[in-house]
Amino acid sequence: MIQTNQTLNCEGLACPMPVVKTKKTIAEMNAGEVLEVRATDKGSVADLQSWAGRTGHQYIGLKEEGGIFRHFLRKSLEIETKLETTHPRVISNEDLNRKLTAGENSILLDVREPAEYSFKRIPGAISIPMGELEQKLDSLSKDEEYFVVCRSGNRSDFACQLLSERGYSKVTNVIPGMSAWEGPTEHDE
């Protein structure tokens, strides 16, 4: 049994809300205290782990019970935390749609969960969920240009930062992502 100081209910919330609510709650806690975040969005697994790693807070672990992901995070001391950064290269949905319509050669990488991808995606997008990205880096050429998309721009931001850290220099985050995409889409039958 993990001893927690506070529980945050994010059940039924989709990206980016579990991270947004976690940031706010952690900010109000004391260093060393442990937060349990309860979420139903499978994407929260990669999102909260990435957020913790990028901010210096400790991601203790995860327990899944009946479709509920129980995340445990420990607030770090101020000297252990890092300033949260965002990937500097971004493109709007509209500008990406123009590039795709013009037939520009680039790769669209969709880092959402498989269910999200199967119901609505940009034609030609390659699916590599954020939680699998690090293990699949060898399948991606460092010479290609990548536009990374998720539902809201947060998960794709984490993915862009990871790719950049691993030597991918032509990486752009799509903002705000599929939640506001008005261009062509496709889906599984």
Side-chain angles (χ1 to χ4, degrees):
M1 189 73 168
I2 297 174
Q3 184 81 2
T4 60
N5 300 93
Q6 196 167 339
T7 300
L8 176 62
N9 185 349
C10 293
E11 294 174 35
L13 300 177
C15 175
M17 291 313 296
V19 172
V20 169
K21 289 180 156 277
T22 298
K23 286 182 197 181
K24 183 177 186 296
T25 303
I26 285 274
E28 297 168 354
M29 294 175 68
N30 295 316
E33 290 184 335
V34 176
L35 173 65
E36 176 184 351
V37 180
R38 299 175 60 89
T40 49
D41 179 11
K42 189 171 190 234
S44 69
V45 176
D47 293 349
L48 287 170
Q49 288 174 359
S50 294
W51 175 80
R54 299 208 182 287
T55 59
H57 296 294
Q58 182 184 3
Y59 188 88
I60 298 170
L62 168 72
K63 290 184 178 187
E64 183 183 355
E65 298 170 350
I68 297 176
F69 300 96
R70 297 176 59 211
H71 305 273
F72 298 91
L73 297 102
R74 180 188 154 274
K75 181 173 181 170
S76 294
L77 295 168
E78 190 173 332
I79 60 169
E80 298 172 315
T81 60
K82 307 172 204 169
L83 257 173
E84 192 170 359
T85 60
T86 58
H87 186 69
R89 290 183 54 186
V90 297
I91 189 170
S92 69
N93 285 4
E94 296 78 17
D95 287 343
L96 176 63
N97 194 23
R98 279 192 279 280
K99 281 181 167 293
L100 295 174
T101 302
E104 291 187 29
N105 190 18
S106 53
I107 297 171
L108 185 59
L109 184 61
D110 191 320
V111 295
R112 296 174 301 153
E113 291 301 310
E116 296 173 284
Y117 176 83
S118 69
F119 283 105
K120 181 182 179 184
R121 64 182 171 269
I122 299 170
I126 297 168
S127 174
I128 302 180
M130 179 63 199
E132 300 172 15
L133 183 59
E134 199 157 7
Q135 293 80 23
K136 295 188 176 181
L137 288 177
D138 291 343
S139 68
L140 301 174
S141 169
K142 291 184 178 178
D143 298 326
E144 298 291 338
E145 181 176 20
Y146 295 94
F147 292 96
V148 186
V149 67
C150 71
R151 191 183 87 72
S152 65
N154 285 333
R155 201 175 315 168
S156 54
D157 182 79
F158 294 145
C160 286
Q161 290 185 57
L162 172 67
L163 289 165
S164 293
E165 289 167 4
R166 299 298 194 279
Y168 295 81
S169 60
K170 300 180 222 167
V171 179
T172 304
N173 188 16
V174 180
I175 302 289
M178 295 306 293
S179 64
W181 181 256
E182 294 180 359
T185 61
E186 62 184 15
H187 57 84
D188 291 352
E189 296 301 318

